[in-house]
C-alpha cells in the first residue's frame, strides 16, 4: 500500500505527489509528545485527535463543544487541555466567534509533504477577527486573518 497520491494543484494545474493517510513527526519532538503523555494524558489525547483530524495544512475548525463530544469529555476538560497544549507550543488556537481554529505547530507534526509543511495554513473561507485573538505563539500563516481596526477616533475621522 502506497502512502503517496497525485493531486492536481487547482491554482497552477500541476500534478503534485503528496503524502496521504499519515502524519509526519520530527524525532526531536517525540520527547515533547512523551512528556505531554506523562504530564497530561488527556491533553495528549486531544493533541493526537487533532493530528488525526487536521487537514494537510495542519489546521482544523472545530468548537470546544464538538471537540468535547468527539472525545467524550467535558468542555472544561477541552479548555484545560488546549491551554496546556498552547503552553507547550504544540498548538495555537485562533478564534472565529465561538468557533476555534486549531493550528498544530508544523515544527512538531504535519500532514503535507516536507516541502509544504512550512505553509501550515488553511484554505477554508473562515474570517477571524484580530480583536478575538491572543498574541500568536508561533507563525501559523493562516489566511483570512483580519487586519486590526484603527482606533475609534481614526474611524470617526474617516467617516466625516
Amino acid at each position: 500500500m502506497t502512502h503517496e497520491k497525485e493531486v492536481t494543484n487547482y491554482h497552477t494545474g500541476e500534478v503534485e505527489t503528496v503524502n496521504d493517510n499519515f502524519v509526519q513527526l520530527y524525532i526531536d519532538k517525540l520527547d515533547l509528545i512523551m512528556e505531554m503523555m506523562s504530564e497530561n494524558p488527556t491533553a495528549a489525547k486531544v493533541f493526537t485527535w487533532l493530528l488525526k483530524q487536521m487537514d494537510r495544512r495542519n489546521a482544523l475548525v472545530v468548537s470546544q463543544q464538538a471537540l468535547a463530544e468527539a472525545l467524550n469529555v467535558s468542555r472544561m476538560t477541552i479548555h484545560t487541555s488546549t491551554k496546556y497544549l498552547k503552553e507547550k507550543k504544540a498548538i495555537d488556537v485562533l478564534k472565529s466567534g465561538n468557533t476555534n481554529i486549531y493550528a498544530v505547530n508544523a515544527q512538531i507534526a504535519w500532514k503535507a509533504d516536507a516541502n509544504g509543511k512550512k505553509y501550515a495554513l488553511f484554505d477554508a473561507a473562515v474570517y477571524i477577527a484580530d480583536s478575538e485573538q491572543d498574541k500568536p505563539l508561533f507563525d501559523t500563516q493562516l489566511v483570512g486573518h483580519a487586519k486590526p481596526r484603527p482606533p475609534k477616533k481614526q474611524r470617526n475621522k474617516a467617516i466625516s
Side-chain angles (χ1 to χ4, degrees):
M1 175 178 0
T2 182
H3 289 288
E4 294 181 345
K5 68 178 180 180
E6 291 184 348
V7 175
T8 302
N9 181 321
Y10 294 105
H11 299 289
T12 66
E14 295 179 21
V15 175
E16 303 170 346
T17 301
V18 297
N19 295 324
D20 187 35
N21 206 24
F22 69 94
V23 174
Q24 300 180 81
L25 301 167
Y26 278 110
I27 289 175
D28 65 340
K29 300 302 181 186
L30 290 176
D31 289 337
L32 172 63
I33 293 169
M34 291 188 308
E35 178 182 310
M36 291 188 306
M37 292 169 72
S38 175
E39 289 180 357
N40 192 330
T42 303
K45 183 177 179 180
V46 169
F47 182 71
T48 55
W49 188 89
L50 290 171
L51 292 179
K52 183 178 176 183
Q53 303 300 323
M54 70 185 184
D55 65 9
R56 289 187 53 241
R57 306 295 179 100
N58 281 33
L60 177 67
V61 177
V62 61
S63 67
Q64 282 189 347
Q65 185 60 39
L67 188 51
E69 289 176 16
L71 294 170
N72 199 27
V73 296
S74 72
R75 195 172 157 275
M76 184 50 114
T77 298
I78 295 300
H79 174 76
T80 304
S81 296
T82 55
K83 181 179 176 188
Y84 171 85
L85 293 170
K86 285 174 66 174
E87 288 169 2
K88 293 293 185 181
K89 296 185 181 173
I91 67 168
D92 202 356
V93 182
L94 300 148
K95 295 287 209 186
S96 179
N98 291 332
T99 300
N100 295 327
I101 303 163
Y102 294 88
V104 173
N105 188 340
Q107 296 305 311
I108 298 172
W110 73 99
K111 277 192 174 177
D113 64 6
N115 295 325
K117 75 174 182 63
K118 67 181 177 179
Y119 303 110
L121 43 89
F122 93 164
D123 294 327
V126 176
Y127 186 90
I128 57 177
D130 191 60
S131 63
E132 293 179 306
Q133 309 312 316
D134 293 328
K135 182 179 176 191
L137 300 173
F138 52 87
D139 185 13
T140 62
Q141 299 180 19
L142 291 177
V143 298
H145 195 279
K147 300 266 190 244
R149 289 175 58 173
K152 192 172 185 175
K153 286 181 183 180
Q154 289 179 357
R155 285 196 313 266
N156 290 339
K157 287 180 184 177
I159 294 171
S160 302

